[in-house]
Amino acid sequence: MKNYFNLLSSVQIFKGINEPELSAMLECLGAKKVNAAKGSFLLLAGEKAENVGILLSGSLQIIKENNEGERLILAALEPGQIFAEALCCAGITESPVSVMSTAESEVLLLKFSRILQSCSNSCEFHQKLLGNMLRLLAEKNLLLQGRIDLLGKGSLRSKVMSYLDSFESQKMPIRIPLNREELADFLCVERSALSHELSRMKKDGLIDYRKNEFYIL
Amino acid sequence: MKNYFNLLSSVQIFKGINEPELSAMLECLGAKKVNAAKGSFLLLAGEKAENVGILLSGSLQIIKENNEGERLILAALEPGQIFAEALCCAGITESPVSVMSTAESEVLLLKFSRILQSCSNSCEFHQKLLGNMLRLLAEKNLLLQGRIDLLGKGSLRSKVMSYLDSFESQKMPIRIPLNREELADFLCVERSALSHELSRMKKDGLIDYRKNEFYIL
DNA sequence: AAATTTCCGTGGTAAATACCACAGAAAAGA
DNA sequence: TCTTTTCTGTGGTATTTACCACGGAAATTT
């Protein structure tokens, strides 16, 4: 497990916990490393999530199938990210989503019940762990809230402005990390409709842009 | 404080904690009851939230002002509901929202730092409290996620269907708790556009409804 | 460099939704 | 009961967005 220390120490859920403590904790938490072949599932919709997962290597997708059988990709996970934490914390008995490995992946599973209960060794870092967990959930909460604000905007134009405003703290050539198609997906609109609106906004003197460098005027 | 025991025991954050334990915990948590006059603010945008609030009586609104100075009401709280928990847990130093009392209100404030640290009395119910907190945040998380799914739907028709589907476990006359205007707000569309689409859906044989009783056909 | 692929803007049309106005139904009050 | 107010549906028009098709720019590959 030690070869993953660098990665694990960068995982938000273990923030502020250093190596010797971490090793003890992993023991406490019933950590189990599993390998997932490409195309295999770490969690199926309908199951109960008993473990919080940490992706060590490879890649995962969080997938939701609607009643028409269409697969919607809710998120693509990279190494270091965690999954199923909200399901565990909420005690959901029938997961609405599945987790699929999209490559040969290594995953660390932590028993959620052990996260909650202070372990028999009563290791002093449970508190830190719980604080981290709270912070993670709360941050995601605020992130989701922001996304709802944005999606609730009536017009495509205000969605774009909201999106750009979310970078407000930074200096002006705003370099957005999404290409047009990804931005359109994020704003839940058509790519070409987005392009149309962007050029209208440029014509109206609201913004300027070249590829993914934007300026609010 | 005792006169609020019935209310407090129904507050999710105290679920599973009975009266004698609760009294001790409130001490632990530095609970402080404050009265808020109508129109006064319990938290201002830009401040740091240090306390988790529980509304005992009266009513509160969570308000966000955008850069055009328009006030958007994010939520209206009723007695028994809590607020500022996500801000506290995420350690946000500049709240993006304000909390205003819209009536003569009584509020219980709990120091967040005390929630996190196991208190000197090391009362055994901190663990339960933390578990409740995790659950609350996670449930809200999933709720928000569902709302994003819905808002991301392209058409008004699929928004309506998503909304109705969310009641799927229940038997058929689905009684929705919102009137047309509120439903329109929730779906982020115009009320009259919603009415138009509803009657089209009825004409197309997808649904039937009378006032707020709906049937999926 | 040439060829291929991906990305992006644009025109035009169809469809969806917003917006306005109004009227009847239902609910609340007097 | 009568009045008043709120809620809901509907018609009509304006606006917005989706959708399709295409071509040029930029990046990638050969």
Side-chain angles (χ1 to χ4, degrees):
Chain A
M1 200 72 79
K2 268 194 175 166
N3 22 349
Y4 287 109
F5 175 67
N6 282 334
L7 178 59
L8 286 179
S9 63
S10 75
V11 172
Q12 288 295 311
I13 197 175
F14 293 132
K15 187 176 176 179
I17 299 173
N18 54 36
E19 182 160 15
E21 299 154 3
L22 185 52
S23 301
M25 284 203 70
L26 290 176
E27 185 70 25
C28 272
L29 298 173
K32 195 169 63 178
K33 200 183 108 190
V34 302
N35 296 309
K38 180 172 179 174
S40 66
F41 284 84
L42 288 150
L43 177 69
L44 281 169
E47 291 180 349
K48 178 168 184 181
E50 312 268 15
N51 301 295
V52 174
I54 303 175
L55 179 57
L56 299 174
S57 72
S59 60
L60 303 179
Q61 285 182 352
I62 314 295
I63 295 171
K64 184 170 190 181
E65 303 198 22
N66 61 21
N67 12 24
E68 287 90 33
E70 298 159 0
R71 282 191 172 182
L72 177 65
I73 298 167
L74 290 181
L77 298 194
E78 295 174 1
Q81 296 192 278
I82 69 175
F83 60 92
E85 79 284 5
L87 296 173
C88 287
C89 291
I92 300 298
T93 53
E94 297 189 10
S95 168
V97 301
S98 302
V99 180
M100 191 179 78
S101 178
T102 53
E104 195 68 27
S105 300
E106 295 172 293
V107 171
L108 193 64
L109 298 177
L110 311 179
K111 281 197 200 306
F112 176 68
S113 56
R114 301 279 190 87
I115 292 179
L116 205 51
Q117 294 159 22
S118 74
C119 56
S120 50
N121 312 347
S122 81
C123 59
E124 53 185 315
F125 293 97
H126 253 104
Q127 184 178 317
K128 197 165 263 177
L129 184 71
L130 284 170
N132 286 340
M133 201 81 176
L134 280 177
R135 186 170 36 75
L136 275 177
L137 284 172
E139 282 171 358
K140 187 158 188 186
N141 227 299
L142 296 170
L143 208 78
L144 293 172
Q145 183 65 59
R147 184 108 194 271
I148 289 175
D149 280 359
L150 185 149
L151 290 179
K153 303 280 180 182
S155 69
L156 185 35
R157 178 168 295 204
S158 42
K159 284 182 185 176
V160 172
M161 285 311 271
S162 280
Y163 178 72
L164 292 178
D165 283 344
S166 71
F167 292 84
E168 65 187 329
S169 57
Q170 288 155 22
K171 44 194 173 302
M172 245 323 138
I174 297 171
R175 285 215 175 77
I176 73 173
L178 307 173
N179 65 26
R180 288 293 179 281
E181 183 129 23
E182 292 166 333
L183 179 56
D185 280 352
F186 185 79
L187 304 180
C188 296
V189 297
E190 278 298 304
R191 181 199 61 82
S192 75
L194 171 61
S195 277
H196 277 134
E197 185 58 28
L198 283 176
S199 55
R200 248 171 279 148
M201 290 171 78
K202 185 192 277 191
K203 182 165 60 70
D204 293 352
L206 273 169
I207 62 171
D208 194 12
Y209 61 94
R210 286 186 300 280
K211 25 180 213 171
N212 55 340
E213 290 184 356
F214 285 76
Y215 302 80
I216 301 176
L217 304 180
Chain B
M1 200 74 75
K2 269 197 175 166
N3 20 350
Y4 287 110
F5 175 68
N6 281 335
L7 178 59
L8 287 178
S9 64
S10 75
V11 173
Q12 287 295 311
I13 198 177
F14 293 130
K15 187 176 175 181
I17 300 173
N18 54 36
E19 182 160 15
E21 299 153 6
L22 186 51
S23 301
M25 286 204 67
L26 290 177
E27 184 69 26
C28 272
L29 297 173
K32 195 170 65 179
K33 200 184 108 189
V34 302
N35 295 311
K38 180 172 179 172
S40 67
F41 284 84
L42 288 150
L43 176 69
L44 281 169
E47 290 179 348
K48 178 168 183 182
E50 313 267 14
N51 301 296
V52 173
I54 303 174
L55 179 59
L56 299 174
S57 72
S59 59
L60 303 180
Q61 285 183 351
I62 314 294
I63 296 171
K64 184 172 189 179
E65 302 199 22
N66 61 19
N67 13 23
E68 287 89 34
E70 298 159 358
R71 281 191 172 183
L72 177 65
I73 297 166
L74 291 181
L77 298 193
E78 297 175 359
Q81 295 191 280
I82 69 175
F83 61 91
E85 79 284 7
L87 296 173
C88 287
C89 291
I92 299 296
T93 53
E94 296 188 9
S95 168
V97 301
S98 301
V99 179
M100 191 179 78
S101 178
T102 53
E104 195 68 28
S105 299
E106 295 173 293
V107 171
L108 193 63
L109 298 177
L110 311 179
K111 280 196 200 308
F112 177 68
S113 56
R114 301 279 189 87
I115 292 179
L116 206 50
Q117 294 158 21
S118 76
C119 57
S120 50
N121 312 346
S122 81
C123 60
E124 52 185 316
F125 292 96
H126 252 103
Q127 184 179 317
K128 198 163 259 178
L129 184 70
L130 284 170
N132 285 341
M133 201 81 175
L134 280 177
R135 186 170 36 75
L136 276 176
L137 285 171
E139 281 171 357
K140 187 159 187 186
N141 228 298
L142 296 170
L143 209 77
L144 293 172
Q145 183 65 58
R147 185 108 194 272
I148 288 175
D149 280 359
L150 186 149
L151 291 179
K153 303 279 182 185
S155 68
L156 184 35
R157 178 169 296 203
S158 43
K159 285 182 185 176
V160 171
M161 284 311 271
S162 280
Y163 178 73
L164 292 178
D165 282 344
S166 71
F167 292 84
E168 65 187 330
S169 56
Q170 288 156 23
K171 43 193 175 301
M172 243 326 137
I174 298 171
R175 285 216 174 77
I176 72 173
L178 308 173
N179 64 26
R180 288 294 178 279
E181 183 129 24
E182 292 166 334
L183 179 55
D185 280 351
F186 185 78
L187 305 180
C188 296
V189 297
E190 278 297 304
R191 181 198 62 81
S192 74
L194 172 61
S195 276
H196 277 134
E197 185 58 30
L198 284 175
S199 55
R200 249 170 279 148
M201 291 171 77
K202 185 191 278 193
K203 182 165 60 71
D204 293 351
L206 273 170
I207 63 172
D208 194 13
Y209 61 94
R210 286 186 301 279
K211 26 180 211 173
N212 53 341
E213 291 186 355
F214 284 76
Y215 301 80
I216 300 177
L217 305 179

